[in-house]
Amino acid sequence: VTPLIDVVMCLIIFYLLVGRLAMDRQAGVKLPRSAVGAEVPHANSLIINVLKGEGDAAAGVMIDGRTVDAAVLRERLMLHAGAKPDAAALVQIRADRRLAYSSVSPILAACREAGLKSVLLTTHREEPRP
Amino acid sequence: MNRHPFRKRNALAQHDLHYGPNMTPMVDVVMVILVFFMASAVFLGPEWFLRTAIPIITPRAAAPTSPEKKTMRVRLSSARPEGAASADANADAGAALASIDGGEPMTLAQVEAMIASEVKSRSANNLTVVVVPSPDAPYESVVAVHEFCQRLGVTRIGIVEEEK
């Protein structure tokens, strides 16, 4: 029985950890593709997912696996930027590539309001075109 | 000839015959960690980032500090006629309409060529690119402008809101 428990324990821990990681990175978001970009070594960043709904409207804004409204979004950004008021406060915007800019502009406005100087646009890494 | 014809053949009995520490549990643990990182790396997919500035004031208000510095305002809008259906899965970022400093409408490829010639005539450090997307502009086109600015070495790039 002991080997079985070992294996099951490993699987449980694996799914717990991957589930926590995947919460921030919603699988439903089709990221815009880019052939260039920067790796950011900072792990401590706020990840904002913008999901696609009907047409090119957004279905919602998700942080930590929960859909948030504008007030909560502003609050989370204030908390995040307040902890590190310098430029090191990183915010990743994972918006779907099929969205129109009007879905993203309220988030940028909230980031401005929170005192952020820059944000990171997350893209899907693609091999450069020949 | 064999002094132990019925000796136990488990790891501990084998261990008695060897010198040095028993490596088996460590190898087990390291193997699990290795498999975990391999699996999660595949699961999460490759991602990277384009940094963009979000200035509060529009840079047009700020006078250019020196003649060699230049700010290019790239205005983006949707190339689709009003009310047209959007769900073209293969529509790429080239479908966006752009204009530089309020000039003629052009494609994103032409914008890239314009920025490339500016980078060639003055250095990339002296160039600031300001993206001004209209609300109906595809988000992908905003990212596309950031992408080729990064490729051309223009690091001073930001998004400002369209003036009402």
Side-chain angles (χ1 to χ4, degrees):
Chain A
V1 180
T2 318
L4 180 81
I5 294 176
D6 283 356
V7 169
V8 170
M9 196 67 114
C10 277
L11 286 177
I12 289 174
I13 290 173
F14 175 75
Y15 282 113
L16 275 177
L17 288 177
V18 171
R20 272 198 72 82
L21 288 176
M23 215 182 239
D24 289 339
R25 299 173 162 208
Q26 289 293 320
V29 177
K30 279 195 179 175
L31 291 173
R33 288 161 289 217
S34 78
V36 292
E39 307 262 9
V40 177
H42 230 276
N44 189 14
S45 55
L46 181 68
I47 302 180
I48 302 174
N49 290 281
V50 190
L51 274 69
K52 183 187 171 292
E54 287 291 308
D56 50 14
V61 178
M62 285 187 116
I63 298 175
D64 289 342
R66 277 191 294 275
T67 307
V68 297
D69 58 8
V72 178
L73 172 69
R74 201 169 302 127
E75 196 179 304
R76 288 295 302 265
L77 279 168
M78 290 287 186
L79 269 177
H80 185 74
K84 291 180 257 83
D86 54 346
L90 292 179
V91 173
Q92 298 178 22
I93 297 184
R94 301 182 83 251
D96 197 290
R97 63 166 171 263
R98 297 161 293 178
L99 289 170
Y101 175 69
S102 58
S103 311
V104 184
S105 66
I107 297 166
L108 292 183
C111 290
R112 266 182 211 116
E113 214 173 289
L116 291 169
K117 295 281 185 292
S118 68
V119 295
L120 300 170
L121 307 177
T122 310
T123 60
H124 182 84
R125 192 178 198 146
E126 198 175 58
E127 295 310 310
R129 285 181 290 270
Chain B
M1 186 173 157
N2 194 343
R3 294 199 298 157
H4 301 286
F6 299 116
R7 71 187 158 84
K8 286 190 280 180
R9 284 202 182 257
N10 57 32
L12 265 179
Q14 289 288 318
H15 177 61
D16 287 342
L17 302 176
H18 292 287
Y19 294 103
N22 187 1
M23 297 295 243
T24 317
M26 195 188 80
V27 172
D28 284 354
V29 169
V30 169
M31 194 72 106
V32 168
I33 294 173
L34 182 74
V35 170
F36 171 74
F37 281 115
M38 279 170 62
S40 58
V42 169
F43 184 84
L44 293 171
E47 288 184 356
W48 56 17
F49 307 103
L50 297 168
R51 185 182 283 278
T52 184
I54 41 172
I56 294 167
I57 49 148
T58 55
R60 183 178 284 175
T65 47
S66 60
E68 67 265 21
K69 291 209 188 309
K70 182 174 166 128
T71 302
M72 294 174 92
R73 291 173 72 90
V74 180
R75 196 174 290 274
L76 295 172
S77 59
S78 170
R80 287 194 302 268
E82 285 291 316
S86 66
D88 185 1
N90 294 325
D92 61 350
L97 269 189
S99 66
I100 291 179
D101 296 326
E104 290 288 301
M106 56 177 78
T107 64
L108 286 180
Q110 287 168 304
V111 172
E112 181 173 6
M114 293 275 285
I115 294 177
S117 70
E118 284 292 337
V119 167
K120 203 167 283 178
S121 64
R122 61 191 86 223
S123 92
N125 292 331
N126 288 328
L127 189 64
T128 306
V129 174
V130 177
V131 185
V132 192
S134 76
D136 62 342
Y139 174 63
E140 199 172 16
S141 68
V142 179
V143 173
V145 174
H146 283 82
E147 185 194 352
F148 57 64
C149 282
Q150 171 116 14
R151 194 186 307 136
L152 295 167
V154 180
T155 50
R156 295 170 57 81
I157 180 164
I159 301 178
V160 301
E161 296 300 321
E162 203 171 36
E163 289 132 64
K164 300 286 185 308

